[in-house]
Amino acid sequence: MKAWSIAVLYSAVLLMLPLAGCASHKAEPPVAQPQAVATQPETPEPVTTPQEPAVSKPTDASPAPSEAAPAGKPATAPAPSGATQATKPATTPAPNGATPAPKAATKTAPPVARTPTPPVRPPTPAAPAVASTAAAPLDLTALKEKLKATKAIGVFTKISLKNQVDDLMKQFSDYYQGKAKTTTMPELRRSYDLLLMKVLSLLQDSDQKLASEVVSSREAIWALLSDPKKFATLQG
Amino acid sequence: MNKLTLVVARSLVVAALFAVPLFADDDEALKKDLTAVIALQGLPCGQVVDVTELAKDDYAATCKDGNKYRVYMNAEGRVVVEKRK
């Protein structure tokens, strides 16, 4: 009788072991997260609203036609107020700002002349650039801390990612110092995009909120990297 | 004696219930971590199915597709993935 009961107990233990092993697999409760994702896409909306001041600011545009020639540099001009976001708006509002500009040009060009139209165009992208800096300020240190703290990425993966970030920073540094003659800015942009996609692919399933934060900071970080002066401050 | 056996058996059951999931979780997390590291290096793997710890921060990983890698951290603090035969 004793031996029988012991045998039953042992068999029960043996049965429980695989059952307990099966019970260990559960990893998917980011239920509340989708709300955070839903809020992030709303952030671009404030970017559209600042376009209204762009209409009101053409008065500032008239004194600045001399600076209109370096079209890429209006983004650096407002740098003191919001250095991080400088180039981001320059790329995003371009389609919005570009479509109204030709309309204005076609309407005004026949009656007046061709000369006034060119100076009108450059200020319009510059104005939203200033306006949208307040929309989403980049907090690099906070983002870095969040990436360090997230449990969505394993320790080894984080170290590996850090290695790749350091490599990319070195590529930028070499590029700005003229050491890397074969590297081009589009190539650096591609490397940056690829690295960001790696981070996002690791985050998107387990930490959607942080993933969307990274996405929203994407252009702002690129603005820091693609400007030699801002990049120098990053490394300093 | 019979009571003692029962107590031991019960405690074994309880220990098994708690210990196995913990070990399984740790193991799965490590496999996932190493899978990501290997993928980040652009090496073929698919999924790490078996891991052996060779030393501290030094692992031998076997992939689902049959590839085997040694994943370790070198003296400079870089994560290195080496293909093994």
Side-chain angles (χ1 to χ4, degrees):
Chain A
M1 190 62 180
K2 273 183 189 175
W4 184 80
S5 63
I6 289 169
V8 168
L9 281 170
Y10 276 120
S11 60
V13 170
L14 288 171
L15 279 170
M16 292 304 278
L17 284 170
L19 280 173
C22 292
S24 68
H25 294 288
K26 35 177 173 175
E28 46 165 323
V31 184
Q33 307 271 356
Q35 291 178 344
V37 178
T39 54
Q40 283 298 332
E42 288 173 9
T43 49
E45 288 181 5
V47 179
T48 55
T49 48
Q51 287 175 350
E52 292 170 8
V55 182
S56 62
K57 283 194 176 181
T59 48
D60 299 335
S62 51
S66 58
E67 293 176 13
K73 291 199 175 182
T76 55
S81 60
T84 57
Q85 294 286 327
T87 55
K88 180 186 177 184
T91 55
T92 45
N96 295 335
T99 43
K103 284 176 186 175
T106 49
K107 284 177 184 176
T108 54
V112 189
R114 286 180 185 179
T115 46
T117 49
V120 177
R121 279 188 184 180
T124 44
V130 178
S132 61
T133 48
L138 172 67
D139 191 351
L140 254 187
T141 45
L143 198 63
K144 205 191 287 183
E145 288 306 314
K146 282 178 188 173
L147 280 168
K148 276 183 186 174
T150 185
K151 288 178 181 175
I153 307 176
V155 178
F156 256 75
T157 314
K158 279 178 190 169
I159 296 167
S160 188
L161 276 173
K162 175 77 167 60
N163 294 157
Q164 294 193 12
V165 169
D166 290 343
D167 290 346
L168 185 64
M169 293 290 276
K170 181 147 194 327
Q171 281 184 350
F172 271 98
S173 180
D174 289 350
Y175 176 76
Y176 289 134
Q177 288 172 11
K179 289 178 186 173
K181 289 177 181 175
T182 53
T183 312
T184 61
M185 193 51 106
E187 279 174 358
L188 289 172
R189 173 75 201 208
R190 206 180 310 139
S191 303
Y192 168 75
D193 285 339
L194 199 64
L195 189 53
L196 220 68
M197 275 172 65
K198 287 176 185 175
V199 176
L200 289 174
S201 67
L202 291 165
L203 287 174
Q204 65 193 1
D205 291 332
S206 310
D207 198 342
Q208 291 179 353
K209 190 184 174 191
L210 185 54
S212 55
E213 277 181 43
V214 170
V215 169
S216 58
S217 312
R218 185 178 189 145
E219 292 304 321
I221 296 169
W222 175 251
L224 287 175
L225 293 172
S226 58
D227 187 330
K229 287 176 186 172
K230 292 172 196 167
F231 179 78
T233 59
L234 269 183
Q235 289 203 313
Chain B
M1 184 66 177
N2 199 7
K3 268 189 177 179
L4 183 71
T5 317
L6 273 172
V7 168
V8 170
R10 278 179 189 166
S11 59
L12 268 173
V13 171
V14 171
L17 280 171
F18 283 98
V20 174
L22 283 174
F23 279 118
D25 267 356
D26 282 352
D27 201 36
E28 284 307 310
L30 181 61
K31 283 176 186 172
K32 199 179 166 188
D33 196 8
L34 294 180
T35 301
V37 170
I38 294 166
L40 278 174
Q41 306 293 329
L43 295 165
C45 177
Q47 190 182 350
V48 171
V49 289
D50 187 54
V51 180
T52 310
E53 188 169 3
L54 304 171
K56 189 178 180 292
D57 295 333
D58 192 347
Y59 299 93
T62 307
C63 297
K64 204 173 184 178
D65 62 2
N67 280 308
K68 291 182 177 181
Y69 297 100
R70 182 184 166 209
V71 182
Y72 65 98
M73 202 188 307
N74 68 8
E76 290 93 50
R78 288 189 73 91
V79 176
V80 181
V81 182
E82 275 177 5
K83 194 165 170 61
R84 297 169 73 206
K85 289 182 180 178

